[in-house]
Amino acid sequence: MIVREAKLLNGSKEQYQALDDAIRAAQFIRNKAVRYWMDNQGVGKADLYKLCKDLAASFDFALKLNSAARQASAERAWATISSFYKRCKKHEKKKGYPKFKKHCRSVEYKVSGWKLSGDCMSINFTDGFQVGSLSLFCNNETREDLHRLKINRVRVVRKADGYYAQFCFDAERKEEGVYTGNVVGLDLGLKYFTKDQNDNAVIYPQFLRKSERRLKKAQKRLSKKFVKGKKPQSINYHRSRKRLGRVHLKIQRQRKDWAIKLARCVVHSNDVIVYEDLKIANMVKNHHFAKSISDASWYQFTQWLDYYGKVWDKVVIAVSPAYTSQDCFNCGHQVKKSLSTRTHSCSNCKVEICRDTNAAINILKKGMKELGMEWQNNSTQGHWESASQAGKHGEKIVSTIDGQIDIASGFLRTMN
């Protein structure tokens, strides 16, 4: 599935208010479905669909919402419930019991309740809220997809800087990759965002740290306008709230843009990418580094690595980070060190190397082992020797001649 986004423009105040009403109606139906599941045993997805019909008969604002949009809201509730069941079956510590949504920001339509214009320049919402026609502002790539691909769903999302329509297309993105014969192991960190086995480092721009002054100023203005116990708050309060939201939204977009561009560059330049699978939820419990870890956005970067690996048919592997910084890449001797120690000095083989580079080599060795390969570091760059069998990731087999990987028809193959 491909998702494209376009901004909804040239609407009146009444039209945007109608979109807000539709979003609140979807939130109401979703919360009612969760409550119905809590109060009754053995409730399934079909029962939630029947509940949507009963709610439409009982509440006029629920009837205004398109029937397919009501079903989509029930599906959101069922997705939360089914994921709770899965975690219970796996005996996970945190089950994630379904909760009510207080601030919902989107409503989802299926194949009805909306209609695109012939030139795909505007969209008309035809349900009972009478939103009417709104202009679509998007790039050329999105416009082309609107003309040629089948739209499965349309999602209206309210953000800090306006309203957006997200189009879900019934297609899979596949592109022909450029194969270079390179492999890379990535160590994720705070001093260096990534460092590979060749000591190449990438420094993170720290978008949150650079915007902290503006955030504090906007937050201070907002807090001055808040009056405890007053409902609703003043118009100036809500203006300050939206202004603060736009600052956060800009930081979010900067992080996403950085993650996409870097992940695209890494996958484009290498055929095998190995990174450490960090447990970020546990790491942010350390209040000394929580803000820096959240600002780095490692998870988003690794998600885009996986995405572009599938698009270009490259091998992307996540390995356990256990002891990658402690073990010596040369002899395997474990050298315990604190986080402040940035140099790996092995007492066994007398090797001195950057801590992050040592970790990157160990990460790459773990990934190669999963592919049935063995890493030998006889030089600065190191080289690889072919293995007799493939690893766990499909039928992709890595082999080398003079330190290079041979590529044929998009697959890594062994040569004799």
Side-chain angles (χ1 to χ4, degrees):
M1 180 179 289
I2 299 175
V3 180
R4 301 292 188 194
E5 190 174 74
K7 192 168 185 179
L8 300 174
L9 296 176
N10 301 330
S12 63
K13 186 178 179 181
E14 290 74 17
Q15 286 179 298
Y16 292 132
Q17 183 61 47
L19 286 178
D20 284 334
D21 294 339
I23 291 172
R24 279 196 294 270
Q27 174 185 311
F28 171 80
I29 292 171
R30 187 260 180 204
N31 289 341
K32 278 289 186 181
V34 173
R35 170 54 67 186
Y36 184 76
W37 171 79
M38 290 178 179
D39 294 340
N40 301 276
Q41 291 185 353
V43 173
K45 193 175 182 179
D47 298 318
L48 299 185
Y49 282 155
K50 293 178 183 177
L51 177 66
C52 294
K53 187 183 291 186
D54 298 336
L55 292 175
S58 303
F59 300 94
D60 294 336
F61 62 88
L63 182 61
K64 288 182 180 181
L65 191 64
N66 180 264
S67 59
R70 293 197 295 266
Q71 290 183 358
S73 300
E75 288 172 3
R76 287 184 176 185
W78 182 250
T80 306
I81 295 166
S82 59
S83 63
F84 167 70
Y85 284 147
K86 289 178 183 177
R87 286 189 288 268
C88 289
K89 288 180 180 178
K90 293 179 182 178
H91 302 286
E92 294 185 11
K93 187 176 180 180
K94 293 184 178 181
K95 305 295 190 298
Y97 191 79
K99 297 180 180 179
F100 301 114
K101 284 282 186 182
K102 187 177 181 182
H103 299 292
C104 188
R105 295 180 177 86
S106 64
V107 58
E108 193 172 273
Y109 296 88
K110 293 186 180 180
V111 293
S112 60
W114 56 274
K115 187 176 181 181
L116 274 177
S117 61
D119 56 359
C120 296
M121 297 295 290
S122 63
I123 184 171
N124 184 29
F125 294 97
T126 58
D127 59 353
F129 288 102
Q130 299 179 353
V131 176
S133 181
L134 294 168
S135 301
L136 292 174
F137 179 75
C138 58
N139 56 22
N140 293 333
E141 190 176 9
T142 302
R143 193 82 65 189
E144 291 174 3
D145 288 343
L146 289 174
H147 280 286
R148 66 185 180 87
L149 296 179
K150 179 185 176 182
I151 302 174
N152 271 354
R153 299 196 177 203
V154 176
R155 188 183 301 118
V156 179
V157 183
R158 181 180 65 236
K159 296 186 179 181
D161 64 339
Y163 294 80
Y164 292 81
Q166 293 179 349
F167 299 93
C168 303
F169 298 103
D170 187 15
E172 292 294 333
R173 183 181 176 185
K174 278 289 182 182
E175 298 178 9
E176 186 176 351
V178 178
Y179 298 95
T180 60
N182 298 327
V183 298
V184 66
L186 296 177
D187 175 66
L188 304 176
L190 294 177
K191 184 177 181 180
Y192 304 108
F193 183 74
T194 61
K195 204 163 194 182
D196 63 13
Q197 76 279 4
N198 298 325
D199 208 35
N200 299 318
V202 176
I203 298 176
Y204 185 69
Q206 295 183 331
F207 297 112
L208 179 62
R209 297 286 185 181
K210 292 178 180 179
S211 302
E212 272 187 330
R213 188 173 180 180
R214 286 194 301 133
L215 278 172
K216 288 179 180 179
K217 188 175 181 180
Q219 184 64 60
K220 190 175 182 179
R221 286 181 176 178
L222 178 66
S223 61
K224 283 184 176 180
K225 293 176 176 60
F226 178 76
V227 180
K228 188 176 181 179
K230 183 180 179 181
K231 290 186 179 181
Q233 295 292 325
S234 65
I235 295 175
N236 287 333
Y237 169 82
H238 290 289
R239 285 176 181 169
S240 298
R241 178 179 56 82
K242 292 177 182 178
R243 193 177 296 114
L244 176 63
R246 285 193 292 271
V247 178
H248 280 290
L249 183 63
K250 182 178 180 180
I251 298 170
Q252 175 191 337
R253 286 171 173 168
Q254 286 174 324
R255 282 186 189 142
K256 184 178 179 181
D257 184 65
W258 161 267
I260 290 174
K261 289 179 179 177
L262 182 60
R264 185 183 178 91
C265 180
V266 170
V267 179
H268 185 268
S269 305
N270 300 278
D271 299 334
V272 179
I273 301 96
V274 187
Y275 65 89
E276 52 182 340
D277 187 16
L278 298 174
K279 303 299 180 184
I280 300 172
N282 296 333
M283 297 176 69
V284 294
K285 293 178 182 179
N286 184 342
H287 67 276
H288 295 289
F289 300 104
K291 184 185 288 188
S292 298
I293 291 171
S294 299
D295 190 20
S297 190
W298 295 326
Y299 178 76
Q300 191 173 45
F301 171 67
T302 55
Q303 289 293 102
W304 284 105
L305 283 179
D306 294 336
Y307 172 75
Y308 281 114
K310 293 177 182 177
V311 169
W312 288 326
D313 199 20
K314 302 286 186 78
V315 181
V316 182
I317 311 170
V319 299
S320 173
Y323 303 108
T324 53
S325 295
Q326 310 289 340
D327 293 344
C328 180
F329 77 94
N330 192 35
C331 64
H333 179 68
Q334 191 171 109
V335 182
K336 293 187 177 180
K337 56 179 79 72
S338 63
L339 195 61
S340 60
T341 305
R342 306 311 304 173
T343 303
H344 170 78
S345 299
C346 183
S347 58
N348 187 38
C349 62
K350 309 302 180 183
V351 167
E352 283 196 10
I353 192 173
C354 175
R355 171 200 181 105
D356 298 329
T357 307
N358 175 68
I361 295 174
N362 287 329
I363 290 166
L364 182 57
K365 289 169 73 174
K366 281 189 175 183
M368 285 296 181
K369 189 176 181 181
E370 287 193 19
L371 289 170
M373 292 296 303
E374 183 180 359
W375 170 277
Q376 288 189 355
N377 197 69
N378 296 333
S379 64
T380 305
Q381 299 293 330
H383 69 274
W384 305 269
E385 292 184 350
S386 60
S388 58
Q389 58 181 354
K392 301 177 182 178
H393 295 265
E395 297 180 352
K396 300 187 178 181
I397 307 175
V398 183
S399 69
T400 62
I401 296 180
D402 298 330
Q404 295 295 319
I405 298 176
D406 179 69
I407 309 297
S409 304
F411 288 92
L412 308 176
R413 69 176 185 179
T414 303
M415 293 186 64
N416 296 323

